[in-house]
């Protein structure tokens, strides 16, 4: 009895080989393995669907290719024609770029009346490109001196630029209030036009006339004669 017991104790104390260890209980049968795999696959598909849904929602909010991923058609929102046309309309200011004194209005209207009276005597080509007003310019001096100057010249229809600002020479029925740009835009009357390069320079100024020299003069908001080089 003694030797046999010792041998048995020695055998029991030795570690069990890895291949001889029993498998975990939950994988001991084919039914358990199938059920576990089915449950795992179900959770994997569920989480995958959540990720795809989240990705699709993110693309629709932030990506320019939203809807083009996953086979869904991409939709394009067209801008209504009325909205496109409104963006192309010329900006019409509430007030003219420069104010005109009564003397300046009379002076410019007299010049234009005289020159338009002679347009009927001109050739056909010139009459088709009629004088439409007087233009106020701001440019480099033509004398070769390194300075800027204000200038005034007759303006023909072909030389008018969309960004040139028109100033009406007319007043309203009260005889004092200048005709606003919105009302004067398409009235077909002769005007003063501020060249696009001069608008910011003369904005808010007042145009008067030196009666002794019969030349236009620009005054700033404080009443000082404007220096084109200031």
């Amino acid at each position: 009895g003694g030797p046999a017991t010792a041998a048995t104790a020695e055998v029991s104390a030795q570690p069990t080989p890895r291949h001889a260890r029993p498998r975990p209980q939950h994988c001991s049968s084919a039914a358990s393995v199938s059920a576990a795999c089915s449950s795992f696959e179900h959770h994997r598909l569920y989480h995958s669907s959540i990720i795809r849904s989240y990705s699709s929602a993110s693309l629709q909010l932030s990506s320019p290719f939203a809807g083009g991923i996953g086979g869904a058609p991409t939709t394009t929102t067209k801008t209504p024609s009325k909205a496109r046309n409104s963006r192309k309309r010329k900006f019409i200011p509430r007030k003219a770029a420069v104010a005109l004194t009564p003397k300046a209005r009379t002076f410019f209207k007299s010049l234009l009346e005289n020159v338009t009276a002679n347009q009927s005597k001109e050739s056909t080509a010139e009459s088709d490109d009629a004088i439409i007003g007087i233009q106020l310019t701001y440019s480099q001096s033509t004398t070769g001196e390194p300075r800027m100057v204000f200038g005034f010249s007759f303006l023909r229809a072909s030389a008018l630029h969309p960004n040139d600002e028109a100033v009406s020479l007319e007043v309203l029925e009260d005889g004092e209030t200048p005709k606003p740009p919105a009302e004067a835009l398409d009235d077909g009357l002769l005007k003063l036009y501020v060249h696009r390069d001069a608008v910011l320079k003369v904005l808010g100024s007042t145009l008067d006339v030196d009666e002794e020299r019969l030349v236009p003069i620009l005054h700033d908001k404080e009443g000082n004669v404007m220096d084109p080089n200031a």
Side-chain angles (χ1 to χ4, degrees):
T5 302
T8 302
E10 290 178 1
V11 172
S12 300
Q14 293 179 358
T16 305
R18 184 178 298 274
H19 64 271
R21 293 178 182 177
R23 295 182 177 179
Q25 185 64 29
H26 64 276
C27 294
S28 59
S29 64
S32 299
V33 172
S34 177
C37 292
S38 177
S39 176
F40 173 80
E41 182 67 13
H42 172 74
H43 286 288
R44 187 185 68 82
L45 293 175
Y46 173 75
H47 287 291
S48 297
S49 65
I50 292 178
I51 293 173
R52 286 196 300 270
S53 176
Y54 175 80
S55 300
S56 177
S58 300
L59 288 170
Q60 290 176 6
L61 292 174
S62 60
S63 173
F65 304 103
I69 298 177
T74 302
T75 58
T76 303
T77 303
K78 295 184 177 180
T79 304
S81 58
K82 183 179 293 186
R84 291 197 301 269
N85 293 336
S86 64
R87 288 199 297 266
K88 296 179 182 179
R89 293 176 183 173
K90 177 179 173 61
F91 170 73
I92 303 175
R94 296 177 60 185
K95 295 178 60 177
V98 297
L100 300 176
T101 64
K103 290 186 297 183
R105 292 182 188 278
T106 302
F107 177 74
F108 288 129
K109 291 179 75 172
S110 298
L111 288 176
L112 290 168
E113 287 173 0
N114 291 333
V115 73
T116 53
N118 297 325
Q119 283 190 135
S120 58
K121 302 177 183 179
E122 297 176 352
S123 63
T124 305
E126 291 179 341
S127 60
D128 290 341
D129 189 16
I131 292 175
I132 60 174
I134 293 177
Q135 188 173 55
L136 164 58
T137 59
Y138 176 66
S139 58
Q140 183 74 33
S141 174
T142 57
T143 61
E145 300 177 14
R147 61 189 180 91
M148 302 296 289
V149 295
F150 294 124
F152 296 85
S153 60
F154 292 109
L155 178 67
R156 294 189 178 273
S158 61
L160 180 64
H161 190 277
N163 291 334
D164 295 339
E165 288 203 18
V167 180
S168 177
L169 300 177
E170 309 299 323
V171 293
L172 299 181
E173 295 180 356
D174 60 7
E176 296 180 0
T177 305
K179 192 174 185 179
E183 295 184 21
L185 181 63
D186 297 319
D187 61 5
L189 299 176
L190 300 173
K191 297 178 178 63
L192 169 72
Y193 290 90
V194 181
H195 191 276
R196 55 195 176 278
D197 293 338
V199 171
L200 294 180
K201 184 67 177 179
V202 303
L203 187 65
S205 63
T206 300
L207 186 57
D208 198 2
V209 175
D210 184 338
E211 294 179 326
E212 294 182 1
R213 297 184 297 163
L214 293 179
V215 293
I217 301 176
L218 281 164
H219 295 274
D220 59 21
K221 295 179 180 179
E222 287 72 32
N224 303 313
V225 177
M226 291 187 63
D227 181 1
N229 296 282

